[in-house]
Amino acid sequence: GAGVSQTPSNKVTEKGKYVELRCDPISGHTALYWYRQSLGQGPEFLIYFQGTGAADDSGLPNDRFFAVRPEGSVSTLKIQRTERGDSAVYLCASSRPSLGATDTQYFGPGTRLTVL
Amino acid sequence: DAKTTQPNSMESNEEEPVHLPCNHSTISGTDYIHWYRQLPSQGPEYVIHGLTSNVNNRMASLAIAEDRKSSTLILHRATLRDAAVYYCILRDPYSGAGSYQLTFGKGTKLSVIP
């Protein structure tokens, strides 16, 4: 079946602008995650949704970052007043959570954000 | 979360076995050991996970030391497609919502030589 998809694949914006990044999870997956990956580093957790609600947003770096998942499927990561330091690959993953944190997370290909 | 230590890089010849080590000396009794890999320009993908016993699947084998302070991911015959960054990750199911996030380190970059 279809995997996790993310749009756009690349986004170039200017400092101070607002951007939205979209994630379409695998159908039926109730859990959705956003991660951010800077060059040469492993992905860093941003936020985790269980259904429509954010169960853990402890990884969001500041209040310029916000994510929604209004119908429990598609999610949008929103970044206000972008800064050059926000440039990174933003990864989305989804899973069917299983008891014991043994769920497999399926990742999308990511959105490469460049802030000029 | 307990920390893992992996070599920055490793090389292997094509069609030979590869043993990727991971040290996790502060692992707790409830931590699961997960491995993910990330091919160039792609998102990470799940490889294997285990708790105490050695595990095998179609992609790889996971050998866990008896004291659980280290583990080894084994690729039985490396192919060019196995060239990737391999991440060893610990997950504690009893740490609440935090148990669901994956905490990636820098991983091991595996190069496969034809």
Side-chain angles (χ1 to χ4, degrees):
Chain A
V4 177
S5 62
Q6 293 186 245
T7 53
S9 55
N10 281 283
K11 175 72 176 177
V12 180
T13 190
E14 293 179 344
K15 180 175 178 295
K17 299 289 189 183
Y18 168 82
V19 297
E20 289 190 351
L21 311 179
R22 176 187 168 109
C23 172
D24 280 86
I26 293 172
S27 177
H29 280 191
T30 57
L32 185 145
Y33 313 79
W34 284 98
Y35 294 82
R36 176 169 73 171
Q37 186 170 26
S38 301
L39 194 63
Q41 306 294 316
E44 287 181 292
F45 169 78
L46 295 177
I47 187 169
Y48 154 56
F49 286 91
Q50 179 56 255
T52 60
D56 181 358
D57 64 357
S58 62
L60 294 177
N62 52 58
D63 61 6
R64 295 187 297 106
F65 289 75
F66 190 71
V68 295
R69 195 185 184 200
E71 298 177 357
S73 177
V74 170
S75 177
T76 305
L77 179 65
K78 308 181 181 195
I79 310 174
Q80 298 178 320
R81 305 182 303 279
T82 52
E83 299 177 357
R84 292 194 180 89
D86 298 335
S87 296
V89 175
Y90 289 81
L91 295 160
C92 176
S94 70
S95 73
R96 294 180 186 275
S98 62
L99 191 65
T102 58
D103 63 305
T104 294
Q105 295 187 19
Y106 296 86
F107 284 79
T111 293
R112 181 175 297 278
L113 175 66
T114 303
V115 182
L116 301 177
Chain B
D1 287 335
K3 186 178 168 62
T4 62
T5 304
Q6 299 178 254
N8 290 333
S9 62
M10 291 183 64
E11 274 189 357
S12 173
N13 293 319
E14 196 177 10
E15 299 190 3
E16 290 190 356
V18 183
H19 290 228
L20 295 162
C22 181
N23 287 318
H24 27 79
S25 58
T26 59
I27 191 170
S28 75
T30 52
D31 280 328
Y32 282 80
I33 302 160
H34 288 248
W35 285 81
Y36 279 73
R37 73 179 185 181
Q38 188 171 21
L39 279 64
S41 301
Q42 295 188 27
E45 65 175 347
Y46 168 81
V47 178
I48 200 166
H49 77 275
L51 182 61
T52 56
S53 304
N54 294 344
V55 185
N56 299 295
N57 66 21
R58 65 175 179 79
M59 290 180 72
S61 296
L62 176 60
I64 301 172
E66 196 168 334
D67 64 5
R68 299 208 331 123
K69 293 186 177 183
S70 65
S71 60
T72 303
L73 180 70
I74 302 166
L75 307 180
H76 295 287
R77 287 183 69 208
T79 69
L80 296 178
R81 196 198 173 273
D82 291 321
V85 178
Y86 288 78
Y87 298 99
C88 171
I89 298 166
L90 301 183
R91 299 179 72 187
D92 179 357
Y94 301 106
S95 63
S99 68
Y100 292 99
Q101 61 180 262
L102 296 173
T103 302
F104 292 85
K106 289 192 174 182
T108 296
K109 183 174 183 179
L110 176 66
S111 301
V112 180
I113 302 166

